[in-house]
Amino acid sequence: MAETIPAGSTTDGAIQVGQPTDARVGAIASYDVADFPVPHGREEEWRFTPLERLRGLHDGTAKATGGLRVDVSAPEGVTVETVDRTDPRVGKAGKPVDRVAAQAYSSFEKASVVSVAKETVLTEPVRISVHGEGGTAYGHQVVEVGAFAEAVVVIDHTGDATLAANVEFLVGDGAKLTVVSIQDWDDTAVHAGQHTALVGRDATFKSVVVTFGGTLVRLHPRVIYGAPGGEAELYGLYFTDNGQHQEHRLFIDHDTPHCRSNVAYKGALQGKDAHAVWIGDVLIRAAAEGTDTYELNRNLVLTDGARVDSVPNLEIETGEIVGAGHASATGRFEDEQLFYLMARGIPADEARRLVVRGFFAELVQQIGLPELEERLIAKIEAELEASVA
């Protein structure tokens, strides 16, 4: 049965399950794919997505054929389990809010649960490798961080796959969780995913989403607050190349008092038919007094033939807030910037790399893992070199 129920609160240090509504009027939230009509592309949440490139993930015709390998490398203090959908942690963060996410929930066979015990402070990241070996797959991942624990989790997507998956983050009271999700797929991959974080009392959740590969990537990061004092930081960077469609649709549900959120996504586009979509929905409900929120999206268009759709949405139902705002801008690569650097003896190709690297630097530094930051900078520069080769 589909329903829209506000997020709950915490009691005795435990996270109470909440099922949020969406910022869109009449949005559906359900575990059952039958509760979602098949999209036709005219719906607000689907109007930017080329449905024919989803390979049947949206209409039930995509049958699971396997070909997905998931490996978890975890330091001491972390438990890794494989469970079925009856496990109480599966679905705890929130229900699917579109048909593809519901299809993934209805179709996965086993879920992977990574748990960090309460008061454990990890000195090494948990690394989850998701490698596609062809075929269609449905996945489900749960990351649970106990009260007052601290952890960094890196989810690395590579290879070729047609994947629909849900990822849940359960952040206990006073805990700190940083998640880095990298979409470094082969150019033929399709990836649709919903990321849902349930943030406990005085807990901190940081998400860094990095998208490079895939012919189509459509991600839906969501944040729900289980109790007052929660903080969420959502960062993202994407580099959209020839023919790629990269879509990031964020929703932050402020229905709890005295919580904070900050969103900053940046994208660069180059090549014919490169298409990036960024939707940022923030809803401040009447009960969420003391909310402090801001969202930002910036896009840099490097060549002709690329297209960006950037839509920030902020809905406020109470006047008792600390602050709320949003900004969005899309600009072309400016010849003046190149001229400034070239006038100081820097070759044109190197000057171009410096400008783009500087554009992304602030977000890359949010990762906090030097070897991963270096890899991503190298990937950005490789994309630029390919465009001028």
Side-chain angles (χ1 to χ4, degrees), residues 295-330:
E295 58 176 346
L296 168 73
N297 179 229
R298 291 281 188 265
N299 295 282
L300 185 61
V301 179
L302 303 178
T303 66
D304 293 334
R307 172 188 166 193
V308 179
D309 290 288
S310 179
V311 186
N313 298 306
L314 176 60
E315 183 176 348
I316 305 173
E317 297 178 349
T318 176
E320 300 298 325
I321 60 174
V322 174
H326 59 73
S328 171
T330 298

Side-chain angles (χ1 to χ4, degrees), residues 258-271:
H258 305 295
C259 292
R260 189 182 71 85
S261 65
N262 182 58
V263 175
Y265 269 60
K266 289 185 177 183
L269 298 89
Q270 66 180 11

Side-chain angles (χ1 to χ4, degrees), residues 55-68:
R55 300 174 183 166
L57 293 176
H58 66 297
D59 62 12
T61 61
K63 305 303 179 183
T65 57
L68 193 72

